[in-house]
Amino acid sequence: MEPLFGAVLGLILAVASTAHESCTCATNKWAVCAQDSPGNCTCRLVGSDHPVDCSTLTSKCFLMKAEMLPLKEKRLWRPPHGLSDSDGIYNPDCEDSGDFKARQCNQSSTCWCVDTAGVRRTEKGDSSLSCSELVRTRWIYIELTHKRSSSAFAAPDMAKALTQLFESRYKLHPKYIAAIKYDPPLIQIRLDQKKKPRWDVDIADAAYYFEKDVNNESVFHSNSKLTVSVNGDALAIEKLWIYYVDEKPPEFCMRQLAAGISAVVTVVVLTAGIGIAVLLILRWLHSRKYKKFESKEMREIKATSLE
């Protein structure tokens, strides 16, 4: 009887272990999941406690908020100069939908306006700064290079491989991939999304997941390294740049531009002033030399006439 009981207990533990392992969020390693009931797994995001839909990508705003937690922990172990202040790393304020709030502020009451990708589009100001709307990021340009040791690929094969990557791994509909151009070793990808239905993945979220994958900081639960195959050959991505284009131009004030123009004008004026001064000095030296020569010549003439 005891062997039978042991076998049953082992089976129950095995089933429970399998259920626990299956209760994970495949698209977000920062989600904390719990088995509420048989077949019902609920996942919430660390840092905001928002429920996570693991069948699609998590919004960039929620990801950045979750990402701030390990950064705060690392500050206890790193020297102060080991962290750099960057607009790309901050603890964002998010709407319940996962969208960025139009105005973002840090702990020192410094505020700025962002677009739907969370990218700053105004100068930083104080808490009185007003952001009337959340401007949509319509275009995203992605530039990347592969290692030169990799052989050049056929452009159609490259476009097909990257389109499949964004569609299968990042759930992005191919209609939002406007163009893929390949000029070895440079690859250019343009994502275009003027309007987005609620059920479609946002191009900003897809670009953020892709950036994390390329930097070996995958958000996916498997945390596996990104592998891209072009017609059976591995694509070794080397560098990545991402540019955001909003529906409306950024609202940076002209102070920086004015300062730059003022500096250029100052340099030009100083250069011109120095040039004029040099010319005047040379002219004065030449005139002085001529007068000396003329005076000497007159003395010689007078001496000759006296003789």
Side-chain angles (χ1 to χ4, degrees):
M1 186 68 178
E2 290 182 358
L4 179 60
F5 176 77
V8 172
L9 180 60
L11 180 61
I12 293 174
L13 291 175
V15 171
S17 177
T18 303
H20 177 73
E21 291 178 358
S22 63
C23 189
T24 56
C25 187
T27 58
N28 192 332
K29 66 181 181 182
W30 289 313
V32 176
C33 303
Q35 193 83 30
D36 296 339
S37 60
N40 185 24
C41 179
T42 301
C43 298
R44 294 185 176 275
L45 191 64
V46 173
S48 61
D49 200 37
H50 281 278
V52 179
D53 182 1
C54 298
S55 65
T56 187
L57 303 187
T58 305
S59 74
K60 181 181 178 180
C61 190
F62 284 162
L63 290 178
M64 288 176 61
K65 181 171 284 293
E67 196 174 1
M68 286 299 296
L69 291 181
L71 286 178
K72 289 180 179 178
E73 293 174 1
K74 290 177 182 178
R75 288 181 183 175
L76 297 175
W77 304 100
R78 292 183 177 181
H81 60 273
L83 293 175
S84 60
D85 186 16
S86 170
D87 290 336
I89 302 176
Y90 62 92
N91 191 359
D93 293 324
C94 309
E95 303 285 358
D96 291 337
S97 62
D99 294 337
F100 286 91
K101 289 187 177 180
R103 192 184 76 162
Q104 299 290 327
C105 301
N106 60 17
Q107 295 179 352
S108 62
S109 299
T110 300
C111 302
W112 61 93
C113 302
V114 300
D115 55 21
T116 54
V119 179
R120 182 165 64 91
R121 51 178 282 108
T122 65
E123 297 287 356
K124 291 183 178 181
D126 55 25
S127 57
S128 64
L129 178 68
S130 176
C131 305
S132 59
E133 61 177 329
L134 182 67
V135 178
R136 177 153 191 80
T137 298
R138 177 180 176 180
W139 297 339
I140 294 182
Y141 292 93
I142 302 175
E143 292 184 356
L144 54 138
T145 59
H146 63 72
K147 292 183 179 180
R148 293 185 179 275
S149 58
S150 302
S151 59
F153 304 93
D157 294 338
M158 178 68 72
K160 181 180 179 181
L162 291 175
T163 300
Q164 290 178 346
L165 173 70
F166 274 86
E167 183 179 9
S168 60
R169 186 172 178 87
Y170 307 117
K171 318 297 182 185
L172 186 68
H173 198 286
K175 67 182 179 182
Y176 299 128
I177 304 175
I180 297 178
K181 293 185 178 181
Y182 179 48
D183 184 16
L186 178 66
I187 306 169
Q188 296 174 298
I189 305 172
R190 174 177 164 177
L191 307 180
D192 190 341
Q193 192 177 49
K194 184 176 181 180
K195 293 182 179 179
K196 184 190 79 68
R198 181 179 55 83
W199 54 84
D200 278 347
V201 167
D202 194 290
I203 57 174
D205 299 339
Y208 194 66
Y209 267 78
F210 181 60
E211 180 182 8
K212 289 294 183 182
D213 276 341
V214 172
N215 293 333
N216 293 325
E217 301 172 352
S218 179
V219 180
F220 292 99
H221 187 268
S222 62
N223 205 25
S224 58
K225 185 176 180 180
L226 175 67
T227 56
V228 183
S229 177
V230 180
N231 201 21
D233 295 326
L235 175 67
I237 299 175
E238 189 173 29
K239 295 180 180 179
L240 172 71
W241 301 270
I242 299 180
Y243 305 92
Y244 303 87
V245 180
D246 296 342
E247 288 183 339
K248 297 181 179 181
E251 300 173 4
F252 293 105
C253 67
M254 300 298 290
R255 285 181 298 179
Q256 294 180 348
L257 181 59
I261 294 175
S262 177
V264 172
V265 170
T266 302
V267 171
V268 172
V269 170
L270 287 175
T271 303
I274 293 172
I276 293 172
V278 171
L279 289 175
L280 290 175
I281 292 172
L282 292 175
R283 185 177 179 181
W284 177 76
L285 290 174
H286 178 74
S287 175
R288 184 180 179 186
K289 183 178 180 181
Y290 177 77
K291 287 182 179 179
K292 286 184 177 180
F293 176 78
E294 185 180 34
S295 177
K296 182 179 179 181
E297 187 179 32
M298 289 297 294
R299 286 198 299 269
E300 291 176 352
I301 293 173
K302 287 181 180 180
T304 304
S305 62
L306 292 174
E307 291 177 356

